[in-house]
Amino acid sequence: MSYAVQTPQRPLPGGFPPTPASGRYQVGVSRPVFPRAVSNPAFQQSQNGPQNAPQQPAQSSQQNGQVAEKLATRTLDPIARASKTVNETLDQESRYPELDTYLGQGISSEYDVSAEAAWAPFQKVKTYPIPDRIFEQYNHSQLRTMMGLFAEFNHAWVTIDNACYLWDYTHPNPDLVGFEEQPNSITAVRLVTPRPGVFVPSVTRLLVVATTVDLILVGLSSDSVPTGGRKVSLYQTRMSLPIRGMDVNLIEGSAATGRILFTGRSDNDVYEFTYQQEEKWFQSRCGKINHTSKGITTLTPSFLFTHRQEQEHTVQMATDDSRRLLYTLSSRSTVRVFHMKPDTKLDLVITKTLTDVLNNIGHMTSPTDLISRDMAIVAVSTVSAQEASKIHLIMTTSTGCRLFMSATTSYGYVIKDPSNAPTSMQLQHIKFPPPMQQQPSSHSTVGNNQGLNTSSRALIQTRTASRYAPGYFFGFVSREQQTQTDILFVSAPDAGRIARPQEPPAPSRFAELGLWLNLGSRAEDVCLATRPFSASSTPIGFANELAVQYDKPASEIAVLTNTGIQTFRRRRLVDMFATVIQVRGGADGLETEVKNFIRLYGRSETLATALAVACGQGLDVTADSRVASILDPEVLEKARTVFVEFGGKPMLNENLLVDQFLPSIDTVRPSPRHDGLAMYIARLVRSIWKALVAEESVFPAGGLAVLPTVSLARLREIQRDLTKLQEFLTSNKSFIDGLAGPEALGRVTTKHEELSLQAEHRALHGLVLLLSNIIEGIAFVLTLFDERIEELVLSLPNETRQQLRTLTYAGLFCTINGKELAKELVKSIVDRNIANGSNVDTVAESLRRKCGSFCSADDVIIFKAQEQLRRASETGSSSELGRNLLNESLRLFKQVSENLSMEQLQWAVEQYLPMEFYAGAIQLALSVARESDKGNSALSWIQEGRSASDIRATAFNNRKRCYGLVHQVIASLDAAAQQHRGMMNGLETTVSKRRAEAYTVIDTSDDQVFQIDLYDWYLSQGLADRLLNIQSPYLITYLERKATEDITHADLLWRYYNQWNQPHDAAGIQLNLAKSTFPLTLDQRIEYLSQAKTNASTYTAGVGRQSRQSLLREVSDLLDVANIQDDVLQKLKGDIRVLPDRRPDVLGQLDGQILSLTELYNNYADQAGYYEICLQIYQAADYRNPIDIRTTWQNLFEKTHQEALDKGTANPYEVVADTVRSLGTRLGLSESTFPIPDLVPLLERYAFESQRGIGPDTWVVDTFLDLQVPCETLYNVLEGMLYNDEASFHGVNRRKIAGDMLYVAQRWYAETARTGRVLGSEANAAGALAALGTLMTNGLAGQQVEDCRELRGKIEQSLR
């Protein structure tokens, strides 16, 4: 209740509110009401506020943004902080340089070829011999044989005359799958992808067999077998194409479109084998298109029209489906580029001869023996658009140089749309061969730039080469033609050095690790045995082998020789590190090798690799040709030592300490050990981090299918690796700064070191928590898919189901929403198992064991409580067992009320209501509300004004949601009570009992916040009268606080006091209401004061007499002022002198708050000439200046006389007499404001001068006698006037005063004669006799003399 302005406890921004002085009645200043007054300029300024009020300085939006960002970083919880670190690590690795950036225009020759096997980029895994049955068939050959690999199926093939045989080379005793159904000699074999929709789905590949007569399509399917290999089956397609005389030697297919292209030794043309499922009117099932030559040459073999000389022909074909390009290499080292358009169109767009290539090279490097017209291009390799934007093709020369070519259009390098064909091809980069060394350099030279070498003859006589993404180069060198053996040179990009250049400002160099291998025989084919490498779908990040070394299997290359199939495995950095510390990790060598790794790859990368080795990630080929983990305890211990002892230290950036918005701990960069740990975790989870947990589909037979986006086997592998990491950190935390605990603080010596250690602990602790979350999250997903997930999904609400559709693993691991969604799914799992008859303890304990954070001990209790509630529903709530089950469920729910979610609480309350367990529902809701705000911050927030920006408002809102459920219970309870009588057959009904139980819980609750919210709800529902029947101290406190804000609550408060026999307190509230700033009219305030006066006069137990009288006096005084103000208001309403523009304002000011007497007098009564009101103000203010009072009376008589004359409705004297009588009554004949000695002469003079001869002679004294003024007082005043010879009453005029004296004396005698004491006393009687005698002789005349003599006689007689 805004009775008086209070000084704010805290200064408000932008203003300095004054503290008003307190007083009984605050005297305000306002503009005068009438025209003659002058406006006060200070008043206008005070109403509008100070002109130069200080304001809060505004900040720029940019500064606000920076502050917000820093505050957001500061408030991250450990999991969110760790998640941010993982995201930053993944983003950093996704920015691995693309091929074009480190293969800029120029030349290079940087290789590291080490004698140490530890640094070898590839490792030979195994040699698979060619089966004896193949040799048996070979011995019967008559014309020709060929060999090749289908390594994607782990199969090799051989053609012997007219037969083609396939076998699984990984099987110790493979079966031969043969194609022998045609009689002609086979000239070429190729495995291609068929055009979609032509064959049955099981036929995933086509075996294209070229013979001297036909080109035959053979269907091929591949299935996995239990032993781990693959089984290949061949199917007749009855599709063939006659090619007699073409001598087809090359076949190439487009995996994207299913197109089959081929060429022969007889010409340099490119043909296409077209095929379709059925014949059409003008097109058969199979056909041939010549895309290069036109006319008769397309139908007639070329040898009929040419001399017998070496004909240029195609020796290699390669397709790039990402750009829709076909490359061909001719026997004269000419490269042609074709653009594959839709609808079997193939356009020649570029022809690059050897001369053109040499011209390009001449502009890039000085002359060298390796680049001459004697060299030949022996192989071309495509580079997909996914791998590089500019580089399209790699040409390998017979001298071992690699020429990186870029195809361009007329408007630039990058061809974003594959439908646009390139128009030219330019040389981008030359990679020269490695140095010619009889003995390769030792490991100590790795990473040392030996300078540019453009004359190495190490790869002279390169016969052929192959290149696989992201840069694996296999060059086959035939140094001795007689021996028919190849030397294999293998190189691979050193991803660690490319990602981390030696000098950060400089671009990455094309660093490669090399290896020499003696195959011992001639290579027939080389093929990628694993899926093509890709770390990203874009050139940026594509070649980052480090990022996927734990996520994807290492690439394997199979090389077919005439003695067998040799497989080579790509060695990862973790494998190299494990081998290095195994071979050279002695007492002195370990530190040297670790420093070398740090020099090459950086400390963070080295530590991440060491951590991976310590967790068993290192792999090596064993003596029995198996790829196995390196689990040698000595190696693991060395790796652990590296991670612990070479971890570096956190760094404090003192330059950031000047930033006032950034906490000191945020200026610390965590140690490289932390970065290495984050890197290892990010690499383990990179494949699932942003992947969806599940995706919805449809089974072929119909119905919902919910499938994992990541295979469950892969999830188990990731979980296993993460668990090993967790175990490693747990067992070594005492040795790791940041995880060692408080004892590590004992080792710090400075404040900066302590701050750095705290930051390190915060960062590492967050990663450890995130690690635990990920492990449990994966366990939860595995559990989820072990269940009938389709049933679970169908049982979810639509909103939850949509959340599941968009849930990623990162969201599951790191966000509150993800964890809450997981808990919903856990609840669904438990519900379904319980519905199927499973024991809740068994199910919950199993879930808790697998994923405790998603199913905690509290969750188990909740499940038990829910089960008890269901049983009660099934048993019947009215039975004794049912009530016991309900009470047990309530006990369990209250036991975990701290962790009970709002959804769970709402569900429980909804279940309780139909079973009429109202009291239990209310108890549970109140328990959850209390536990959600143990510090009771909501109460202090309410008591301090309910600021919306206060953080404590959140605590209140959380509790209010619980109280909302209580309101629902009350509404449901009241509705039920209205439908049933309270008593039936003299007994209380069940509903009545339940209602009594519920209200007992409500009334006895000591939750003050609940009581406040309940009272608010009662008022909002129009149930204010219900508050009057509540006897609670909380209600009084509530109403007292609310009474300062709302008049409704104030009215309730005084009504409540009256209800409970506390009239004194009610009077205080009513007094405050009358004084308040609420928008009340003056009549309402007078009404409140009148009621307060009555209440204050009533006896109240426990209230002292002094307090009661003090309150009564204050109420009475204010009531007098209010009545005076009401008089002023009524006067002004009819006063035509008030200015029209001021009338509403003036009346509004008066018909509101009670003003002070000073303001009423100065601004209204005195200005307006309301003299009777001025006299009342004198009376109320106890003003006793006789001159001012006499003057006011004089003015009043004059004004009243003039108004009576103006109106003409009555004699002026009558109006004046009535005014005197009225004021006399109001003023209570006060001696100060109704002074008889002054008023009688004034009125006598007015009667004599203005009303002579009008009206009764004695109307003046009659007026006073009507007011019960004592005759003795009037007589004495008149006597004084007579003897003082008052003005206007000289000489004969004295008869007027003498007549009034006689009249008063007669009335005086008449009144006292009945009492036996004439004139009150003998002295008065004696004095009157003397005075009357004087009047007889001097003053009276006529009949008055006789009357005076008669009166004297009566007085004398009485004195005898």
Side-chain angles (χ1 to χ4, degrees):
M1 196 181 301
S2 48
Y3 306 130
V5 180
Q6 298 295 324
T7 304
Q9 296 181 1
R10 293 187 293 271
L12 301 176
F16 303 89
T19 304
S22 58
R24 179 184 175 192
Y25 306 117
Q26 184 177 349
V27 180
V29 181
S30 64
R31 271 198 304 134
V33 177
F34 301 98
R36 66 176 182 271
V38 180
S39 299
N40 186 353
F43 176 78
Q44 186 70 20
Q45 181 175 356
S46 68
Q47 294 299 308
N48 295 333
Q51 298 296 321
N52 299 317
Q55 297 181 357
Q56 187 82 353
Q59 297 180 348
S60 67
S61 59
Q62 180 179 3
Q63 183 177 3
N64 287 337
Q66 293 173 352
V67 173
E69 181 179 356
K70 292 170 182 175
L71 291 177
T73 303
R74 186 187 311 181
T75 56
L76 288 177
D77 59 52
I79 296 296
R81 192 180 300 277
S83 172
K84 181 172 180 287
T85 301
V86 170
N87 283 323
E88 291 173 349
T89 303
L90 291 174
D91 290 343
Q92 177 64 33
E93 296 204 322
S94 69
R95 294 191 291 271
Y96 180 89
E98 62 175 306
L99 183 63
D100 300 322
T101 60
Y102 55 86
L103 281 180
Q105 194 161 14
I107 60 176
S108 65
S109 62
E110 184 178 359
Y111 294 89
D112 286 298
V113 184
S114 175
E116 292 288 340
W119 289 95
F122 278 85
Q123 184 177 27
K124 183 178 180 180
V125 180
K126 191 172 185 178
T127 299
Y128 299 96
I130 297 176
D132 293 338
R133 295 174 59 187
I134 297 297
F135 287 111
E136 292 174 2
Q137 295 291 337
Y138 177 77
N139 292 333
H140 295 87
S141 66
Q142 297 177 358
L143 295 177
R144 70 173 69 182
T145 62
M146 290 183 298
M147 300 178 68
L149 290 171
F150 300 148
E152 60 179 305
F153 300 130
N154 294 334
H155 274 62
W157 59 269
V158 62
T159 63
I160 303 173
D161 295 336
N162 67 325
C164 179
Y165 300 101
L166 289 74
W167 75 94
D168 184 352
Y169 60 78
T170 63
H171 198 282
N173 187 22
D175 295 328
L176 294 183
V177 179
F179 174 68
E180 305 170 324
E181 285 76 9
Q182 58 86 32
N184 303 303
S185 178
I186 297 175
T187 60
V189 174
R190 186 69 172 176
L191 193 67
V192 299
T193 302
R195 181 179 292 115
V198 177
F199 304 99
V200 295
S202 60
V203 176
T204 58
R205 296 290 189 273
L206 287 179
L207 184 65
V208 185
V209 181
T211 70
T212 56
V213 177
D214 298 304
L215 199 61
I216 304 170
L217 300 186
V218 180
L220 183 147
S221 65
S222 173
D223 301 305
S224 300
V225 295
T227 57
R230 300 188 70 85
K231 178 183 178 182
V232 168
S233 302
L234 302 180
Y235 302 92
Q236 284 284 0
T237 64
R238 294 183 176 85
M239 290 184 179
S240 63
L241 181 71
I243 55 170
R244 185 179 297 272
M246 295 184 62
D247 193 12
V248 173
N249 67 326
L250 289 175
I251 305 170
E252 185 62 37
S254 169
T257 62
R259 298 173 69 174
I260 301 174
L261 305 162
F262 63 95
T263 185
R265 290 187 179 90
S266 60
D267 55 33
N268 202 27
D269 293 338
V270 176
Y271 300 87
E272 180 169 355
F273 184 171
T274 62
Y275 58 99
Q276 58 188 11
Q277 190 174 23
E278 297 177 352
E279 293 186 0
K280 297 183 180 179
W281 281 101
F282 301 101
Q283 191 175 10
S284 61
R285 293 183 67 193
C286 300
K288 180 181 68 174
I289 301 175
N290 188 333
H291 289 291
T292 51
S293 299
K294 308 297 180 182
I296 191 171
T297 57
T298 64
L299 303 174
T300 308
S302 60
F303 67 83
L304 297 178
F305 301 95
T306 59
H307 299 287
R308 294 187 62 85
Q309 61 180 2
E310 183 181 354
Q311 172 75 24
E312 182 182 12
H313 61 277
T314 303
V315 296
Q316 185 184 356
M317 300 173 70
T319 56
D320 180 2
D321 285 324
S322 65
R323 297 185 175 95
R324 300 182 187 174
L325 298 179
L326 169 69
Y327 301 94
T328 66
L329 173 64
S330 75
S331 56
R332 296 178 184 175
S333 297
T334 297
V335 175
R336 293 186 296 175
V337 183
F338 296 85
H339 185 232
M340 295 186 292
K341 292 184 176 181
D343 300 329
T344 68
K345 294 181 181 180
L346 190 70
D347 293 342
L348 176 62
V349 292
I350 300 173
T351 300
K352 196 76 172 179
T353 65
L354 180 59
T355 302
D356 294 334
V357 173
L358 291 173
N359 290 336
N360 292 153
I361 295 174
H363 294 287
M364 190 172 292
T365 181
S366 57
T368 172
D369 293 340
L370 300 180
I371 306 295
S372 68
R373 295 187 180 277
D374 296 332
M375 76 173 190
I377 299 175
V378 297
V380 293
S381 300
T382 62
V383 178
S384 69
Q386 184 182 5
E387 184 177 357
S389 301
K390 295 181 180 180
I391 305 298
H392 284 54
L393 186 70
I394 301 174
M395 301 179 183
T396 304
T397 69
S398 57
T399 57
C401 296
R402 280 176 282 168
L403 311 179
F404 293 84
M405 311 299 293
S406 61
T408 63
T409 63
S410 58
Y411 48 84
Y413 276 105
V414 182
I415 305 175
K416 295 183 178 179
D417 186 358
S419 63
N420 295 329
T423 57
S424 65
M425 180 174 285
Q426 303 295 329
L427 178 62
Q428 183 78 11
H429 189 87
I430 304 174
K431 186 65 180 276
F432 285 92
M436 188 69 180
Q437 295 178 347
Q438 296 296 328
Q439 294 181 352
S441 61
S442 65
H443 74 285
S444 61
T445 63
V446 173
N448 294 328
N449 188 3
Q450 299 176 356
L452 186 63
N453 184 354
T454 61
S455 59
S456 172
R457 302 180 62 85
L459 297 181
I460 288 293
Q461 298 179 355
T462 296
R463 185 173 59 83
T464 186
S466 293
R467 188 261 185 194
Y468 303 100
Y472 308 146
F473 175 71
F474 282 68
F476 298 91
V477 183
S478 180
R479 290 180 179 172
E480 299 179 5
Q481 296 292 338
Q482 296 80 8
T483 59
Q484 292 292 309
T485 61
D486 287 334
I487 295 176
L488 174 60
F489 176 73
V490 181
S491 68
D494 192 353
R497 275 189 286 167
I498 293 174
R500 182 183 180 270
Q502 299 301 310
E503 298 180 2
S508 301
R509 294 180 296 172
F510 188 17
E512 289 187 291
L513 297 173
L515 172 68
W516 291 96
L517 293 169
N518 193 341
L519 296 179
S521 59
R522 183 181 176 87
E524 301 292 339
D525 198 3
V526 58
C527 191
L528 183 65
T530 53
R531 295 177 62 87
F533 177 89
S534 66
S536 171
S537 59
T538 60
I540 299 178
F542 176 88
N544 193 353
E545 293 183 272
L546 300 179
V548 298
Q549 58 183 325
Y550 316 119
D551 184 49
K552 294 184 177 181
S555 299
E556 287 192 11
I557 311 294
V559 177
L560 173 64
T561 67
N562 51 21
T563 59
I565 299 96
Q566 301 180 34
T567 57
F568 299 90
R569 176 182 172 273
R570 172 67 164 128
R571 300 184 74 242
R572 308 167 299 167
L573 185 63
V574 64
D575 305 330
M576 297 180 186
F577 184 83
T579 308
V580 165
I581 64 175
Q582 183 179 31
V583 175
R584 302 187 59 85
D588 299 327
L590 179 62
E591 183 175 356
T592 301
E593 295 299 331
V594 170
K595 289 182 178 179
N596 189 37
F597 256 84
I598 293 174
R599 176 179 62 86
L600 293 175
Y601 306 115
R603 189 177 293 272
S604 297
E605 185 66 56
T606 301
L607 291 169
T609 306
L611 180 60
V613 173
C615 293
Q617 288 284 1
L619 299 177
D620 197 8
V621 177
T622 62
D624 57 350
S625 300
R626 291 185 303 104
V627 179
S629 299
I630 300 177
L631 301 177
D632 183 355
E634 185 177 354
V635 175
L636 301 184
E637 176 60 25
K638 290 177 182 178
R640 186 199 72 84
T641 301
V642 173
F643 183 75
V644 172
E645 297 184 2
F646 291 85
K649 293 184 178 180
M651 295 180 60
L652 176 65
N653 189 341
E654 298 186 7
N655 293 328
L656 294 178
L657 289 177
V658 298
D659 191 340
Q660 59 179 332
F661 297 107
L662 197 63
S664 299
I665 196 171
D666 286 340
T667 63
V668 178
R669 175 181 175 80
S671 68
R673 180 190 293 110
H674 163 270
D675 296 342
L677 174 59
M679 191 179 298
Y680 182 52
I681 294 175
R683 289 172 178 174
L684 289 178
V685 302
R686 71 181 304 275
S687 62
I688 66 173
W689 188 254
K690 295 181 180 179
L692 295 175
V693 172
E695 60 181 356
E696 294 185 9
S697 182
V698 179
F699 285 115
L704 175 67
V706 182
L707 305 174
T709 59
V710 180
S711 69
L712 300 184
R714 179 63 191 140
L715 288 176
R716 293 188 181 94
E717 291 175 2
I718 296 173
Q719 185 186 42
R720 182 182 64 247
D721 293 339
L722 291 171
T723 302
K724 289 180 180 179
L725 173 60
Q726 187 182 48
E727 293 171 353
F728 173 85
L729 295 176
T730 302
S731 60
N732 292 279
K733 65 180 181 179
S734 59
F735 306 105
I736 300 174
D737 288 343
L739 293 180
E743 59 270 14
L745 292 173
R747 298 192 291 268
V748 300
T749 57
T750 65
K751 186 67 176 178
H752 284 179
E753 289 183 3
E754 180 181 354
L755 183 63
S756 299
L757 184 60
Q758 292 174 352
E760 180 79 354
H761 169 74
R762 183 179 70 171
L764 288 177
H765 177 65
L767 289 176
V768 171
L769 291 179
L770 176 61
L771 181 63
S772 177
N773 272 18
I774 296 175
I775 293 172
E776 289 195 0
I778 293 176
F780 165 73
V781 175
L782 294 174
T783 302
L784 188 65
F785 283 101
D786 284 342
E787 299 288 331
R788 296 177 181 174
I789 188 171
E790 289 79 14
E791 295 182 6
L792 295 178
V793 171
L794 290 174
S795 67
L796 296 175
N798 290 333
E799 181 180 357
T800 305
R801 186 173 174 181
Q802 181 59 33
Q803 291 175 358
L804 179 60
R805 291 191 187 105
T806 59
L807 178 66
T808 63
Y809 282 93
L812 175 65
F813 301 150
C814 308
T815 64
I816 296 177
N817 291 338
K819 182 155 288 190
E820 292 301 322
L821 178 58
K823 288 187 175 182
E824 283 294 321
L825 294 172
V826 167
K827 180 177 178 294
S828 298
I829 293 173
V830 174
D831 290 344
R832 193 175 65 82
N833 280 274
I834 292 175
N836 293 336
S838 301
N839 183 272
V840 65
D841 292 330
T842 304
V843 176
E845 187 59 34
S846 174
L847 289 169
R848 184 184 174 193
R849 186 175 60 255
K850 294 178 182 178
C851 41
S853 61
F854 300 109
C855 184
S856 62
D858 288 346
D859 293 330
V860 175
I861 295 176
I862 292 172
F863 295 146
K864 290 181 179 179
Q866 291 172 342
E867 184 182 26
Q868 297 293 323
L869 210 161
R870 290 192 188 93
R871 290 179 57 195
S873 177
E874 295 170 357
T875 304
S877 60
S878 299
S879 64
E880 182 179 355
L881 177 59
R883 301 307 290 184
N884 291 337
L885 291 172
L886 287 173
N887 287 322
E888 177 63 14
S889 70
L890 175 61
R891 185 188 68 81
L892 293 172
F893 275 131
K894 291 175 67 176
Q895 188 176 340
V896 294
S897 56
E898 180 179 0
N899 296 316
L900 204 62
S901 69
M902 189 62 199
E903 291 74 15
Q904 292 167 333
L905 172 61
Q906 188 170 359
W907 179 87
V909 170
E910 289 174 353
Q911 298 302 312
Y912 282 147
L913 289 181
M915 291 184 278
E916 298 182 351
F917 195 43
Y918 304 114
I922 295 172
Q923 288 183 53
L924 179 57
L926 293 181
S927 178
V928 173
R930 184 183 294 275
E931 290 298 326
S932 69
D933 181 25
K934 292 184 178 180
N936 211 14
S937 59
L939 180 59
S940 60
W941 175 74
I942 292 173
Q943 294 172 341
E944 294 180 14
R946 303 192 183 209
S947 172
S949 60
D950 197 320
I951 193 174
R952 293 173 296 180
T954 303
F956 173 77
N957 292 333
N958 292 336
R959 295 178 73 161
K960 186 173 179 61
R961 294 175 64 192
C962 301
Y963 301 148
L965 296 177
V966 177
H967 302 160
Q968 293 181 18
V969 176
I970 295 175
S972 177
L973 177 60
D974 291 344
Q978 290 177 0
Q979 297 176 2
H980 298 81
R981 290 182 295 175
M983 301 292 291
M984 183 176 292
N985 298 328
L987 299 176
E988 189 176 10
T989 61
T990 302
V991 173
S992 178
K993 292 179 181 179
R994 301 289 179 258
R995 188 175 189 277
E997 293 171 357
Y999 276 101
T1000 299
V1001 173
I1002 294 172
D1003 294 340
T1004 58
S1005 172
D1006 59 354
D1007 186 347
Q1008 191 171 352
V1009 179
F1010 162 66
Q1011 297 290 356
I1012 292 172
D1013 182 75
L1014 178 65
Y1015 304 150
D1016 285 338
W1017 182 73
Y1018 278 155
L1019 293 175
S1020 67
Q1021 298 298 312
L1023 302 175
D1025 291 340
R1026 186 173 291 188
L1027 294 179
L1028 301 179
N1029 298 321
I1030 298 175
Q1031 191 172 9
S1032 169
Y1034 298 138
L1035 178 58
I1036 296 176
T1037 304
Y1038 166 81
L1039 291 176
E1040 286 177 345
R1041 183 167 52 249
K1042 286 286 188 178
T1044 63
E1045 305 168 359
D1046 182 64
I1047 189 172
T1048 303
H1049 294 85
D1051 275 332
L1052 277 175
L1053 183 57
W1054 71 259
R1055 288 173 59 197
Y1056 180 84
Y1057 282 136
N1058 274 345
Q1059 178 86 4
W1060 296 97
N1061 296 323
Q1062 299 180 49
H1064 182 269
D1065 295 327
I1069 299 302
Q1070 291 165 336
L1071 171 62
N1072 289 334
L1073 276 171
K1075 294 161 59 177
S1076 72
T1077 59
F1078 289 138
L1080 297 172
T1081 64
L1082 185 60
D1083 288 341
Q1084 290 174 313
R1085 297 177 189 275
I1086 293 174
E1087 182 181 359
Y1088 280 127
L1089 289 172
S1090 300
Q1091 294 172 343
K1093 187 173 183 179
T1094 301
N1095 285 323
S1097 303
T1098 305
Y1099 172 78
T1100 303
V1103 178
R1105 180 179 179 182
Q1106 184 175 358
S1107 298
R1108 190 168 64 254
Q1109 289 180 347
S1110 175
L1111 177 62
L1112 180 59
R1113 181 169 57 253
E1114 183 179 1
V1115 171
S1116 299
D1117 290 346
L1118 189 59
L1119 181 59
D1120 291 342
V1121 176
N1123 286 326
I1124 293 172
Q1125 182 170 328
D1126 185 58
D1127 290 342
V1128 175
L1129 175 62
Q1130 301 307 319
K1131 285 276 189 181
L1132 284 174
K1133 285 182 179 179
D1135 197 328
I1136 60 175
R1137 296 175 299 164
V1138 181
L1139 297 176
D1141 62 326
R1142 287 282 291 140
R1143 178 177 294 275
D1145 185 34
V1146 170
L1147 297 182
Q1149 290 179 3
L1150 286 171
D1151 195 14
Q1153 286 185 265
I1154 300 175
L1155 305 179
S1156 67
L1157 291 173
T1158 302
E1159 190 172 6
L1160 289 173
Y1161 180 82
N1162 291 332
N1163 294 345
Y1164 300 99
D1166 186 49
Q1167 286 190 40
Y1170 299 154
Y1171 300 115
E1172 67 274 34
I1173 295 178
C1174 290
L1175 291 172
Q1176 296 179 51
I1177 292 174
Y1178 295 156
Q1179 171 76 10
D1182 198 19
Y1183 185 75
R1184 296 177 178 271
N1185 190 318
I1187 297 176
D1188 291 342
I1189 294 172
R1190 186 183 306 110
T1191 302
T1192 301
W1193 277 104
Q1194 180 68 39
N1195 293 335
L1196 175 61
F1197 294 157
E1198 293 175 359
K1199 177 185 176 184
T1200 304
H1201 175 79
Q1202 186 61 43
E1203 288 177 351
L1205 290 177
D1206 294 341
K1207 292 179 180 180
T1209 57
N1211 292 322
Y1213 85 88
E1214 293 177 340
V1215 178
V1216 170
D1218 290 340
T1219 300
V1220 173
R1221 279 192 289 268
S1222 174
L1223 280 175
T1225 302
R1226 291 189 181 186
L1227 298 177
L1229 304 181
S1230 169
E1231 293 181 0
S1232 59
T1233 57
F1234 198 83
I1236 304 299
D1238 293 333
L1239 292 179
V1240 171
L1242 287 175
L1243 204 56
E1244 289 285 3
R1245 189 175 300 113
Y1246 164 74
F1248 181 77
E1249 295 177 354
S1250 301
Q1251 294 291 297
R1252 184 183 306 176
I1254 301 175
D1257 292 338
T1258 60
W1259 69 267
V1260 173
V1261 293
D1262 283 338
T1263 299
F1264 289 102
L1265 290 175
D1266 290 344
L1267 290 172
Q1268 305 298 318
V1269 176
C1271 294
E1272 181 179 3
T1273 302
L1274 290 175
Y1275 181 83
N1276 292 334
V1277 172
L1278 292 172
E1279 185 180 19
M1281 291 178 64
L1282 182 66
Y1283 292 139
N1284 292 335
D1285 199 13
E1286 293 279 348
S1288 299
F1289 297 103
H1290 301 297
V1292 70
N1293 295 336
R1294 295 179 64 189
R1295 292 178 181 178
K1296 177 66 173 72
I1297 302 303
D1300 286 343
M1301 279 186 64
L1302 175 61
Y1303 180 74
V1304 171
Q1306 290 174 337
R1307 293 284 300 272
W1308 190 11
Y1309 176 80
E1311 291 175 1
T1312 58
R1314 292 190 295 271
T1315 62
R1317 301 188 61 184
V1318 177
L1319 302 184
S1321 65
E1322 292 182 0
N1324 289 341
L1329 286 175
L1332 291 174
T1334 303
L1335 292 179
M1336 290 176 60
T1337 60
N1338 186 14
L1340 297 176
Q1343 183 60 37
Q1344 289 180 337
V1345 175
E1346 295 300 325
D1347 292 340
C1348 182
R1349 183 178 293 109
E1350 181 181 356
L1351 178 60
R1352 288 190 74 231
K1354 292 179 180 179
I1355 293 173
E1356 289 175 351
Q1357 185 178 358
S1358 63
L1359 291 176
R1360 296 191 188 102

